[in-house]
Amino acid sequence: MEENLSQTTTSISRIAFVGPECTGKTTICTKLAHYFQTQWVPEYMRIYLQKKWDETQQVCQWEDLLPIASGQMFLENQKVQQANEFLFCDTNLLEITMYSYIYYGKCPTEIETSALAHRYDIIFLAHIDVPWQADDLRDKPNERAEVLTFFKKYLSQKEIPYIFLKGSETERFDKVISILKQKI
């Protein structure tokens, strides 16, 4: 299984967005990919769990975590081969790890080990200052502050640098563009 959690090595800059549910990660990834004419990686957990919900009305279970993590890395490794300069990742194994701890109090070792071994050029942590919107999968509208605090604590404990991303959609987009243009 660990082979399925490996990160393909390329010269493309990987930019990851993590954070509580409904904080604009998908929106900014799609806009950035369009702006830079490159690829973005959707959140595989959403794809997997929406299908599960539609078919069975069941939510995420412990045994779903490894298939979700493998699917996330498959998409990331596939999209990095098609990207130019930047690959925008709407979540990654770090987020799956953190949510595993939030929901189950533990994380499969192979997921956390792989998450900590993966390298991203920049990780943005999305703030909760955007309106929460209900859907079939979102279930923590009143716990977003606690989830955000957990993300900050985990990233700090693991000494993983991140840039805090807050403000309106336009402010967030402009901030990321400014940071990435300094990188070019």
Side-chain angles (χ1 to χ4, degrees):
M1 177 58 78
E2 211 162 304
E3 179 181 304
N4 295 336
L5 298 178
S6 298
Q7 188 178 49
T8 302
T9 305
T10 67
S11 61
I12 301 297
S13 294
R14 292 176 198 241
I15 314 301
F17 292 83
V18 299
E21 63 187 19
C22 202
T23 53
K25 299 180 298 280
T26 302
T27 300
I28 198 160
C29 282
T30 57
K31 287 181 77 171
L32 290 165
H34 178 75
Y35 181 87
F36 285 103
Q37 297 182 2
T38 190
Q39 297 293 313
W40 72 281
V41 183
E43 180 183 6
Y44 184 74
M45 186 180 320
R46 278 196 135 308
I47 297 165
Y48 180 98
L49 292 177
Q50 187 65 59
K51 183 175 188 238
K52 182 177 180 174
W53 177 259
D54 291 345
E55 293 173 358
T56 66
Q57 298 291 288
Q58 291 182 345
V59 296
C60 188
Q61 304 294 315
W62 175 260
E63 59 271 8
D64 293 320
L65 294 176
L66 281 173
I68 288 168
S70 293
Q72 188 68 44
M73 286 316 304
F74 175 82
L75 285 178
E76 186 175 321
N77 288 333
Q78 181 184 55
K79 294 289 186 177
V80 78
Q81 300 302 322
Q82 303 163 3
N84 63 63
E85 194 167 5
F86 298 111
L87 177 67
F88 299 103
C89 302
D90 176 1
T91 202
N92 60 14
L93 293 185
L94 278 171
E95 181 151 329
I96 294 168
T97 297
M98 290 184 276
Y99 267 112
S100 180
Y101 279 111
I102 290 167
Y103 280 90
Y104 305 107
K106 59 185 179 178
C107 181
T109 303
E110 51 270 55
I111 294 176
E112 187 167 22
T113 300
S114 294
L116 296 173
H118 289 188
R119 297 292 169 243
Y120 293 87
D121 295 274
I122 301 172
I123 296 175
F124 288 98
L125 175 58
H127 193 290
I128 58 172
D129 59 347
V130 294
W132 186 85
Q133 297 175 352
D135 69 13
D136 292 339
L137 304 176
R138 294 179 179 142
D139 66 349
K140 294 200 176 293
N142 301 314
E143 299 170 35
R144 293 195 314 157
E146 292 86 355
V147 171
L148 182 61
T149 298
F150 182 87
F151 273 55
K152 287 179 183 178
K153 182 179 174 184
Y154 183 89
L155 293 170
S156 294
Q157 285 176 340
K158 300 299 180 183
E159 298 180 354
I160 298 169
Y162 65 89
I163 297 170
F164 202 47
L165 195 58
K166 61 183 186 175
S168 70
E169 186 179 315
T170 301
E171 290 169 326
R172 291 173 183 224
F173 183 78
D174 290 345
K175 179 176 182 173
V176 173
I177 293 293
S178 173
I179 290 167
L180 295 180
K181 284 189 174 180
Q182 292 173 20
K183 185 171 176 48
I184 299 175

Short mmCIF file of all heavy atoms in Angstrom, two decimals, residues 128-164:
data_model
loop_
_atom_site.label_atom_id
_atom_site.label_comp_id
_atom_site.label_asym_id
_atom_site.label_seq_id
_atom_site.Cartn_x
_atom_site.Cartn_y
_atom_site.Cartn_z
N ILE A 128 -11.23 30.25 8.37
CA ILE A 128 -12.68 29.99 8.37
C ILE A 128 -13.51 31.25 8.18
O ILE A 128 -14.71 31.25 8.45
CB ILE A 128 -13.10 29.29 9.67
CG1 ILE A 128 -12.73 30.13 10.89
CG2 ILE A 128 -12.47 27.90 9.75
CD1 ILE A 128 -13.27 29.60 12.21
N ASP A 129 -12.91 32.29 7.65
CA ASP A 129 -13.62 33.57 7.52
C ASP A 129 -14.43 33.68 6.23
O ASP A 129 -14.71 34.77 5.75
CB ASP A 129 -12.65 34.75 7.66
CG ASP A 129 -11.54 34.74 6.61
OD1 ASP A 129 -11.36 33.71 5.93
OD2 ASP A 129 -10.84 35.76 6.50
N VAL A 130 -14.84 32.55 5.68
CA VAL A 130 -15.77 32.52 4.55
C VAL A 130 -17.02 31.78 5.01
O VAL A 130 -16.94 30.91 5.88
CB VAL A 130 -15.14 31.86 3.29
CG1 VAL A 130 -13.99 32.69 2.76
CG2 VAL A 130 -14.68 30.45 3.58
N PRO A 131 -18.17 32.10 4.44
CA PRO A 131 -19.41 31.46 4.89
C PRO A 131 -19.39 29.94 4.67
O PRO A 131 -18.90 29.45 3.65
CB PRO A 131 -20.48 32.10 4.02
CG PRO A 131 -19.88 33.34 3.48
CD PRO A 131 -18.41 33.10 3.40
N TRP A 132 -19.92 29.23 5.64
CA TRP A 132 -20.06 27.78 5.55
C TRP A 132 -21.30 27.47 4.72
O TRP A 132 -22.32 28.15 4.85
CB TRP A 132 -20.20 27.19 6.95
CG TRP A 132 -20.21 25.70 6.97
CD1 TRP A 132 -19.12 24.88 6.99
CD2 TRP A 132 -21.35 24.84 6.99
NE1 TRP A 132 -19.51 23.55 7.01
CE2 TRP A 132 -20.88 23.50 7.02
CE3 TRP A 132 -22.72 25.05 6.98
CZ2 TRP A 132 -21.73 22.40 7.03
CZ3 TRP A 132 -23.57 23.96 7.00
CH2 TRP A 132 -23.07 22.66 7.03
N GLN A 133 -21.20 26.49 3.84
CA GLN A 133 -22.33 26.08 3.01
C GLN A 133 -22.56 24.59 3.19
O GLN A 133 -21.63 23.79 3.03
CB GLN A 133 -22.07 26.39 1.54
CG GLN A 133 -21.90 27.86 1.27
CD GLN A 133 -21.51 28.15 -0.17
OE1 GLN A 133 -21.23 27.26 -0.95
NE2 GLN A 133 -21.49 29.42 -0.52
N ALA A 134 -23.78 24.21 3.48
CA ALA A 134 -24.13 22.81 3.69
C ALA A 134 -24.10 22.02 2.39
O ALA A 134 -24.36 22.56 1.31
CB ALA A 134 -25.52 22.72 4.31
N ASP A 135 -23.71 20.75 2.49
CA ASP A 135 -23.86 19.79 1.41
C ASP A 135 -23.97 18.41 2.05
O ASP A 135 -24.03 18.28 3.27
CB ASP A 135 -22.74 19.90 0.37
CG ASP A 135 -21.38 19.46 0.85
OD1 ASP A 135 -21.27 18.83 1.92
OD2 ASP A 135 -20.39 19.72 0.15
N ASP A 136 -23.99 17.36 1.24
CA ASP A 136 -24.15 16.00 1.76
C ASP A 136 -23.04 15.58 2.71
O ASP A 136 -23.25 14.70 3.54
CB ASP A 136 -24.19 14.98 0.61
CG ASP A 136 -25.43 15.10 -0.24
OD1 ASP A 136 -26.44 15.66 0.23
OD2 ASP A 136 -25.40 14.63 -1.40
N LEU A 137 -21.85 16.15 2.56
CA LEU A 137 -20.68 15.64 3.27
C LEU A 137 -20.22 16.52 4.43
O LEU A 137 -19.59 16.03 5.36
CB LEU A 137 -19.52 15.44 2.29
CG LEU A 137 -19.81 14.52 1.10
CD1 LEU A 137 -18.63 14.49 0.15
CD2 LEU A 137 -20.18 13.13 1.56
N ARG A 138 -20.48 17.79 4.37
CA ARG A 138 -19.98 18.70 5.41
C ARG A 138 -20.80 18.51 6.68
O ARG A 138 -22.03 18.49 6.64
CB ARG A 138 -20.06 20.14 4.93
CG ARG A 138 -19.11 20.39 3.77
CD ARG A 138 -19.20 21.80 3.28
NE ARG A 138 -18.25 21.98 2.20
CZ ARG A 138 -18.48 22.71 1.12
NH1 ARG A 138 -19.63 23.35 0.98
NH2 ARG A 138 -17.56 22.84 0.19
N ASP A 139 -20.08 18.38 7.80
CA ASP A 139 -20.80 18.06 9.04
C ASP A 139 -20.29 18.82 10.26
O ASP A 139 -20.65 18.49 11.38
CB ASP A 139 -20.74 16.56 9.31
CG ASP A 139 -19.33 16.05 9.59
OD1 ASP A 139 -18.36 16.80 9.38
OD2 ASP A 139 -19.22 14.90 10.03
N LYS A 140 -19.44 19.81 10.07
CA LYS A 140 -18.87 20.51 11.23
C LYS A 140 -19.05 22.03 11.12
O LYS A 140 -18.10 22.78 11.29
CB LYS A 140 -17.40 20.15 11.37
CG LYS A 140 -17.17 18.68 11.71
CD LYS A 140 -15.80 18.48 12.31
CE LYS A 140 -15.60 17.07 12.73
NZ LYS A 140 -16.44 16.63 13.84
N PRO A 141 -20.28 22.50 10.89
CA PRO A 141 -20.45 23.95 10.74
C PRO A 141 -20.12 24.73 12.00
O PRO A 141 -19.69 25.88 11.91
CB PRO A 141 -21.93 24.10 10.38
CG PRO A 141 -22.59 22.90 10.96
CD PRO A 141 -21.55 21.80 10.82
N ASN A 142 -20.32 24.12 13.15
CA ASN A 142 -20.09 24.82 14.41
C ASN A 142 -18.75 24.47 15.05
O ASN A 142 -18.47 24.92 16.16
CB ASN A 142 -21.23 24.51 15.38
CG ASN A 142 -22.57 24.93 14.82
OD1 ASN A 142 -22.70 26.03 14.29
ND2 ASN A 142 -23.55 24.05 14.91
N GLU A 143 -17.95 23.68 14.37
CA GLU A 143 -16.66 23.25 14.93
C GLU A 143 -15.48 23.71 14.09
O GLU A 143 -14.36 23.26 14.29
CB GLU A 143 -16.65 21.72 15.04
CG GLU A 143 -17.73 21.19 15.96
CD GLU A 143 -17.87 19.68 15.89
OE1 GLU A 143 -16.85 18.99 15.72
OE2 GLU A 143 -19.00 19.20 16.00
N ARG A 144 -15.71 24.62 13.17
CA ARG A 144 -14.63 25.03 12.28
C ARG A 144 -13.48 25.69 13.03
O ARG A 144 -12.32 25.49 12.69
CB ARG A 144 -15.14 25.94 11.16
CG ARG A 144 -16.06 25.18 10.22
CD ARG A 144 -16.35 25.87 8.90
NE ARG A 144 -16.67 27.25 8.99
CZ ARG A 144 -16.51 28.12 7.97
NH1 ARG A 144 -16.04 27.72 6.82
NH2 ARG A 144 -16.83 29.38 8.12
N ALA A 145 -13.77 26.46 14.06
CA ALA A 145 -12.69 27.11 14.83
C ALA A 145 -11.83 26.05 15.50
O ALA A 145 -10.59 26.17 15.50
CB ALA A 145 -13.28 28.08 15.86
N GLU A 146 -12.45 25.04 16.07
CA GLU A 146 -11.69 23.96 16.72
C GLU A 146 -10.86 23.18 15.71
O GLU A 146 -9.72 22.81 15.99
CB GLU A 146 -12.64 23.00 17.47
CG GLU A 146 -13.30 23.62 18.68
CD GLU A 146 -14.59 24.38 18.36
OE1 GLU A 146 -14.97 24.53 17.18
OE2 GLU A 146 -15.24 24.84 19.32
N VAL A 147 -11.44 22.93 14.53
CA VAL A 147 -10.71 22.22 13.48
C VAL A 147 -9.51 23.05 13.04
O VAL A 147 -8.40 22.53 12.89
CB VAL A 147 -11.64 21.87 12.29
CG1 VAL A 147 -10.85 21.32 11.11
CG2 VAL A 147 -12.72 20.86 12.73
N LEU A 148 -9.72 24.35 12.84
CA LEU A 148 -8.62 25.23 12.45
C LEU A 148 -7.52 25.23 13.51
O LEU A 148 -6.33 25.15 13.19
CB LEU A 148 -9.13 26.65 12.20
CG LEU A 148 -8.08 27.66 11.75
CD1 LEU A 148 -7.44 27.26 10.42
CD2 LEU A 148 -8.71 29.05 11.64
N THR A 149 -7.89 25.29 14.77
CA THR A 149 -6.92 25.25 15.86
C THR A 149 -6.13 23.94 15.83
O THR A 149 -4.91 23.94 16.00
CB THR A 149 -7.62 25.43 17.23
OG1 THR A 149 -8.24 26.73 17.24
CG2 THR A 149 -6.65 25.31 18.38
N PHE A 150 -6.82 22.84 15.57
CA PHE A 150 -6.14 21.55 15.49
C PHE A 150 -5.13 21.55 14.33
O PHE A 150 -4.01 21.08 14.47
CB PHE A 150 -7.14 20.40 15.32
CG PHE A 150 -6.46 19.06 15.27
CD1 PHE A 150 -6.19 18.38 16.45
CD2 PHE A 150 -6.06 18.50 14.06
CE1 PHE A 150 -5.53 17.15 16.42
CE2 PHE A 150 -5.40 17.27 14.02
CZ PHE A 150 -5.14 16.60 15.21
N PHE A 151 -5.54 22.06 13.16
CA PHE A 151 -4.64 22.13 12.00
C PHE A 151 -3.38 22.92 12.35
O PHE A 151 -2.27 22.49 12.06
CB PHE A 151 -5.35 22.76 10.80
CG PHE A 151 -6.11 21.80 9.94
CD1 PHE A 151 -7.09 20.97 10.47
CD2 PHE A 151 -5.87 21.74 8.58
CE1 PHE A 151 -7.80 20.10 9.67
CE2 PHE A 151 -6.58 20.86 7.77
CZ PHE A 151 -7.54 20.04 8.31
N LYS A 152 -3.56 24.10 12.94
CA LYS A 152 -2.41 24.94 13.31
C LYS A 152 -1.49 24.20 14.27
O LYS A 152 -0.26 24.22 14.11
CB LYS A 152 -2.89 26.24 13.98
CG LYS A 152 -3.52 27.24 13.07
CD LYS A 152 -3.96 28.43 13.93
CE LYS A 152 -4.67 29.47 13.16
NZ LYS A 152 -5.10 30.59 14.05
N LYS A 153 -2.08 23.56 15.27
CA LYS A 153 -1.29 22.85 16.28
C LYS A 153 -0.53 21.68 15.65
O LYS A 153 0.67 21.51 15.90
CB LYS A 153 -2.23 22.33 17.38
CG LYS A 153 -1.52 21.62 18.51
CD LYS A 153 -2.53 21.18 19.57
CE LYS A 153 -1.86 20.34 20.63
NZ LYS A 153 -2.79 19.82 21.61
N TYR A 154 -1.18 20.91 14.81
CA TYR A 154 -0.53 19.76 14.18
C TYR A 154 0.63 20.22 13.29
O TYR A 154 1.74 19.69 13.37
CB TYR A 154 -1.54 18.94 13.36
CG TYR A 154 -0.93 17.70 12.74
CD1 TYR A 154 -0.92 16.50 13.44
CD2 TYR A 154 -0.35 17.73 11.48
CE1 TYR A 154 -0.35 15.36 12.89
CE2 TYR A 154 0.23 16.61 10.93
CZ TYR A 154 0.23 15.42 11.64
OH TYR A 154 0.81 14.31 11.08
N LEU A 155 0.37 21.19 12.44
CA LEU A 155 1.42 21.69 11.54
C LEU A 155 2.60 22.24 12.33
O LEU A 155 3.76 22.00 11.98
CB LEU A 155 0.85 22.74 10.58
CG LEU A 155 -0.17 22.24 9.56
CD1 LEU A 155 -0.84 23.40 8.85
CD2 LEU A 155 0.47 21.29 8.56
N SER A 156 2.32 22.97 13.39
CA SER A 156 3.39 23.51 14.23
C SER A 156 4.17 22.41 14.93
O SER A 156 5.41 22.44 14.95
CB SER A 156 2.81 24.48 15.26
OG SER A 156 2.28 25.61 14.62
N GLN A 157 3.47 21.43 15.50
CA GLN A 157 4.15 20.33 16.19
C GLN A 157 5.06 19.55 15.24
O GLN A 157 6.13 19.09 15.63
CB GLN A 157 3.13 19.36 16.80
CG GLN A 157 2.48 19.89 18.04
CD GLN A 157 1.41 18.94 18.57
OE1 GLN A 157 0.89 18.08 17.87
NE2 GLN A 157 1.08 19.11 19.84
N LYS A 158 4.63 19.41 14.00
CA LYS A 158 5.42 18.65 13.01
C LYS A 158 6.42 19.55 12.28
O LYS A 158 7.12 19.11 11.37
CB LYS A 158 4.50 17.97 11.99
CG LYS A 158 3.54 16.98 12.61
CD LYS A 158 4.26 15.85 13.31
CE LYS A 158 3.27 14.86 13.92
NZ LYS A 158 3.90 13.79 14.66
N GLU A 159 6.48 20.82 12.69
CA GLU A 159 7.39 21.81 12.10
C GLU A 159 7.21 21.93 10.59
O GLU A 159 8.18 21.99 9.83
CB GLU A 159 8.84 21.51 12.49
CG GLU A 159 9.06 21.56 13.99
CD GLU A 159 10.49 21.27 14.39
OE1 GLU A 159 11.33 20.91 13.54
OE2 GLU A 159 10.78 21.42 15.60
N ILE A 160 5.96 21.96 10.18
CA ILE A 160 5.61 22.11 8.76
C ILE A 160 5.24 23.57 8.53
O ILE A 160 4.24 24.05 9.07
CB ILE A 160 4.44 21.18 8.38
CG1 ILE A 160 4.85 19.71 8.61
CG2 ILE A 160 4.01 21.42 6.94
CD1 ILE A 160 3.70 18.74 8.53
N PRO A 161 6.05 24.28 7.75
CA PRO A 161 5.74 25.69 7.52
C PRO A 161 4.48 25.85 6.66
O PRO A 161 4.23 25.06 5.75
CB PRO A 161 6.97 26.22 6.79
CG PRO A 161 7.67 25.02 6.26
CD PRO A 161 7.26 23.85 7.07
N TYR A 162 3.72 26.89 6.96
CA TYR A 162 2.53 27.18 6.18
C TYR A 162 2.31 28.69 6.17
O TYR A 162 2.84 29.41 7.00
CB TYR A 162 1.29 26.46 6.74
CG TYR A 162 0.88 26.89 8.12
CD1 TYR A 162 -0.02 27.95 8.30
CD2 TYR A 162 1.37 26.26 9.26
CE1 TYR A 162 -0.40 28.36 9.57
CE2 TYR A 162 0.99 26.66 10.53
CZ TYR A 162 0.11 27.70 10.68
OH TYR A 162 -0.26 28.11 11.93
N ILE A 163 1.50 29.11 5.22
CA ILE A 163 1.11 30.51 5.13
C ILE A 163 -0.39 30.55 5.39
O ILE A 163 -1.16 29.83 4.76
CB ILE A 163 1.44 31.10 3.74
CG1 ILE A 163 2.95 31.07 3.50
CG2 ILE A 163 0.88 32.51 3.60
CD1 ILE A 163 3.37 31.40 2.08
N PHE A 164 -0.79 31.40 6.33
CA PHE A 164 -2.19 31.52 6.70
C PHE A 164 -2.89 32.34 5.63
O PHE A 164 -2.43 33.43 5.25
CB PHE A 164 -2.27 32.20 8.07
CG PHE A 164 -3.54 31.93 8.80
CD1 PHE A 164 -4.07 30.66 8.90
CD2 PHE A 164 -4.20 32.97 9.42
CE1 PHE A 164 -5.23 30.42 9.60
CE2 PHE A 164 -5.36 32.74 10.13
CZ PHE A 164 -5.89 31.47 10.21
#
